[in-house]
Amino acid sequence: MISAVYYDYESSSEVNDFNKEVELLSDKEIDARINKARAYNESLNGNEVLHDAYSSDEEAAGKKEYAKMLEVHEKMGHVEIPRIHQDLPLFAGTTERVLQQGLGHLENTSLPVGGESTHSIITGHRGLPDKKLFTDLDKMKKGDMIYVHNIKGVLAYKVHRIKVIKPNNFSPLRIVKGKDQLTLLTCTPYMVNSHRLIVTAHRVPYTPEVAKQHAAVKEPWWYKFLNVYKNYLIGIAVAIILYLLYRAWRKRKKR
C-alpha cells in the first residue's frame, strides 16, 4: 500500500510536469504538432495492422517515432478516469518498460488528438503490486467520462461499451468511419489474463458545462488515495483499536 501511495504521488508529479512543459510551447508550435498527428491519423485509413499489446516482448527501444510530435518529456499527455480515481501519464508504445510506468498508446491506432474516423487504443496493466493503474477498470459503467489531456487541450469521451474479448479479436478496436472513439484496454480476468477487457467511449464536446463537471471531479493525489484505499485504512484503524483494547484488558487483568 505504501508503494502504491508513492506511485500515486509520483504519477501526479508526472502529470504536473507535462502540464508545466506544455505551457512553455507556443500556440504555433502546438498547432504544427497537432496537424502532424492528424496527418498520421489520416494515413491509417482503417488499414492499420493491430497486435495484442501483451502477446510478445518488444525491443528495449521503447518509444516509437510515430508519436514524437505529441511528446513532452517522453509523455504524450495524461488520461483522467474519475470513476476509478486515476489520472495517469500516457506514453508512446506498449513495451513492458512503458506499461510499468503508466499507460501506453497502442501502435498503429489513432493518436489521441480526436477527429472523425479515429480510434485511439490506450493500454494499461492490472494487478501490479505497487500501482493501481487499470486494476479497477472493471468498475467502469456506461455513461462514465474519460478525459484525455494532450498538448492542445482536453478531449472528453463518454463510455458506451464495456466488453470482454479474446486477445486475437481486433474487430471492436478498429476505426469506424465518421466516429471519434477511444478504448481503454487491459487484461482480464484479474490475475488470470486470458482475455481482454475493453472500455470504449465516444467523443463529446468539451462544453463549459462539461468542463464544469470535469472540474468538480478533479482530485489531488492525497484525496484520490483516501478514496481508493479507504477500506484498507478502516481495516488498519480497527486493528489498532482492537490491539489497544486488548492491551488495556491485559493490564486490567494483571492488576
Side-chain angles (χ1 to χ4, degrees):
M1 188 176 72
I2 291 170
S3 63
V5 173
Y6 175 75
Y7 177 75
D8 281 347
Y9 170 75
E10 195 177 50
S11 176
S12 181
S13 297
E14 292 263 23
V15 166
N16 290 336
D17 174 66
F18 176 83
N19 291 337
K20 286 178 183 176
E21 289 300 317
V22 166
E23 289 176 3
L24 301 177
L25 299 176
S26 68
D27 290 343
K28 186 176 180 181
E29 183 178 355
I30 288 173
D31 288 341
R33 287 184 177 212
I34 292 292
N35 286 338
K36 284 182 180 179
R38 286 175 176 155
Y40 170 84
N41 287 347
E42 282 287 329
S43 73
L44 294 176
N45 288 323
N47 297 319
E48 70 282 4
V49 179
L50 300 180
H51 302 283
D52 183 56
Y54 307 103
S55 61
S56 62
D57 293 332
E58 297 201 3
E59 295 181 4
K63 306 194 278 98
K64 304 296 180 182
E65 288 290 328
Y66 72 88
K68 282 197 176 297
M69 75 285 284
L70 292 182
E71 291 182 329
V72 175
H73 285 192
E74 295 193 342
K75 293 178 283 291
M76 298 171 69
H78 54 104
V79 181
E80 208 175 337
I81 315 168
R83 167 67 67 180
I84 59 173
H85 308 287
Q86 295 295 299
D87 189 0
L88 300 164
L90 175 63
F91 301 89
T94 55
T95 63
E96 189 56 27
R97 182 182 74 85
V98 163
L99 295 178
Q100 286 290 331
Q101 293 181 81
L103 305 181
H105 172 262
L106 185 62
E107 300 90 335
N108 298 319
T109 71
S110 308
L111 293 169
V113 294
E116 284 190 13
S117 304
T118 60
H119 195 168
S120 299
I121 314 297
I122 294 173
T123 66
H125 274 319
R126 299 178 81 194
L128 295 184
D130 58 340
K131 304 175 181 70
K132 293 289 283 187
L133 299 178
F134 278 173
T135 297
D136 294 332
L137 197 64
D138 58 338
K139 295 179 181 176
M140 295 290 286
K141 297 178 180 179
K142 290 181 180 179
D144 283 347
M145 297 297 295
I146 302 167
Y147 301 98
V148 178
H149 300 251
N150 60 32
I151 57 173
K152 180 76 173 176
V154 184
L155 308 178
Y157 290 86
K158 182 178 282 190
V159 174
H160 65 266
R161 179 176 63 191
I162 300 170
K163 189 175 182 180
V164 173
I165 62 174
K166 292 183 177 180
N168 59 355
N169 179 14
F170 301 111
S171 298
L173 306 179
R174 297 197 181 281
I175 292 171
V176 178
K177 189 174 181 181
K179 292 192 175 182
D180 183 339
Q181 297 189 107
L182 170 84
T183 289
L184 307 180
L185 181 152
T186 192
C187 294
T188 198
Y190 182 65
M191 300 303 287
V192 176
N193 305 335
S194 59
H195 289 67
R196 303 292 175 257
L197 171 65
I198 60 171
V199 176
T200 302
H202 59 275
R203 178 98 173 269
V204 295
Y206 195 67
T207 61
E209 184 181 347
V210 172
K212 188 176 179 180
Q213 293 171 354
H214 181 197
V217 298
K218 279 182 174 290
E219 304 169 337
W221 72 271
W222 55 267
Y223 183 78
K224 177 176 68 177
F225 161 71
L226 291 176
N227 269 299
V228 173
Y229 298 104
K230 59 181 179 289
N231 291 335
Y232 294 101
L233 294 172
I234 291 168
I236 291 169
V238 169
I240 291 171
I241 291 168
L242 290 174
Y243 174 70
L244 292 174
L245 289 172
Y246 172 75
R247 282 190 63 184
W249 174 78
R250 291 280 294 177
K251 284 181 179 179
R252 204 163 55 239
K253 189 177 180 182
K254 283 181 180 179
R255 285 201 299 268

